[in-house]
Amino acid sequence: MTDDSRLALWRAFPWWAQAATPALAAHTVPVYDPQTGELLVLCDTRAYLLQTKLFTTSLLAKLNRFTGAPQVTALRLVLASTSVVVTGPAGWADEQMVEDVLLETWHDLVQDRGPLHLLAVRHVEAAGEVGDLARRWAEANDQPTEPVSRDDPCGCLDVGPDHQHPPLTDEDLAARLIKDAGLVLAFIDHRALDAQIADAAEHARIPVRRFTA
């Protein structure tokens, strides 16, 4: 969905900017359902979702004071995007499968969390891998990407000018990829890393969908 479409939906419920604080209004997008009276509020970070949740009662009172009718019956708070880890080896034969899985996943997220919800593709930054296919799909469909590189800072305390960050190990890379992820799509062929990422996610109780060639 384009930025213009998102803005149009936001403008369809202008009272939100009056009821919410300026910070909340800047980090949330409201979408009103006239059939149920529910106001879906997409929050761009977990912190703003929790902050909005704290003010639910007062927000409902203010909104219904402003709108008069129709009344807002409830607020449903969701994150504006879900980080979906996509992993798989180079040379994966069925590129169409990857695109179909991503489209189906995106459709399910939109059905569950509203028309503004985004699928944020998180992938290893490596040319030719399944994650790279997913990145191209995301760019073509106006979805965000969250690349993770083996050369990312290692997180060690030594920050001296001569310090060199070693490349992330497979274990560290898997941990970095699944942190705060909502789902893992693992395309598994011959490479052990993809199964390791899927196993780590399942251990962390993150939903995993596995696909084999």
Side-chain angles (χ1 to χ4, degrees):
M1 179 170 291
T2 65
D3 289 341
D4 287 344
S5 299
R6 294 168 67 85
L7 188 59
L9 284 169
W10 181 86
R11 285 176 174 163
F13 199 83
W15 302 280
W16 180 252
Q18 301 175 49
T21 65
L24 284 184
H27 292 273
T28 54
V29 177
V31 183
Y32 183 66
D33 184 345
Q35 294 186 335
T36 64
E38 181 183 73
L39 185 66
L40 175 71
V41 182
L42 290 96
C43 309
D44 63 6
T45 66
R46 195 174 300 277
Y48 278 103
L49 185 148
L50 295 174
Q51 188 174 344
T52 306
K53 188 175 182 179
L54 289 175
F55 295 106
T56 295
T57 302
S58 62
L59 284 168
L60 277 172
K62 287 182 180 179
L63 287 168
N64 286 320
R65 212 163 48 237
F66 292 139
T67 60
Q71 293 283 290
V72 180
T73 59
L75 298 184
R76 184 159 69 98
L77 310 179
V78 298
L79 286 173
S81 64
T82 297
S83 293
V84 176
V85 176
V86 183
T87 183
W92 183 264
D94 195 344
E95 294 187 12
Q96 188 61 51
M97 175 194 283
V98 176
E99 293 185 6
D100 290 346
V101 167
L102 285 165
L103 188 60
E104 178 187 348
T105 302
W106 184 26
H107 178 267
D108 290 345
L109 288 171
V110 167
Q111 288 291 104
D112 181 56
R113 303 190 178 190
L116 296 180
H117 200 76
L118 299 173
L119 186 161
V121 171
R122 186 177 298 171
H123 63 96
V124 177
E125 204 169 33
E129 294 190 357
V130 169
D132 193 39
L133 296 176
R135 174 191 59 77
R136 296 203 298 270
W137 175 89
E139 291 173 350
N141 289 278
D142 297 321
Q143 302 299 297
T145 59
E146 301 173 349
V148 175
S149 171
R150 281 192 183 273
D151 297 325
D152 285 344
C154 57
C156 56
L157 298 177
D158 184 355
V159 292
D162 297 327
H163 176 68
Q164 294 184 345
H165 295 286
L168 295 175
T169 64
D170 282 358
E171 183 178 357
D172 289 338
L173 184 64
R176 187 78 58 93
L177 279 166
I178 69 171
K179 181 176 173 57
D180 297 324
L183 175 67
V184 171
L185 304 176
F187 295 83
I188 299 172
D189 191 352
H190 59 276
R191 190 173 65 165
L193 173 62
D194 305 307
Q196 184 174 348
I197 292 169
D199 291 343
E202 288 175 342
H203 183 73
R205 298 185 178 179
I206 297 169
V208 176
R209 296 179 65 192
R210 296 175 186 246
F211 307 88
T212 55

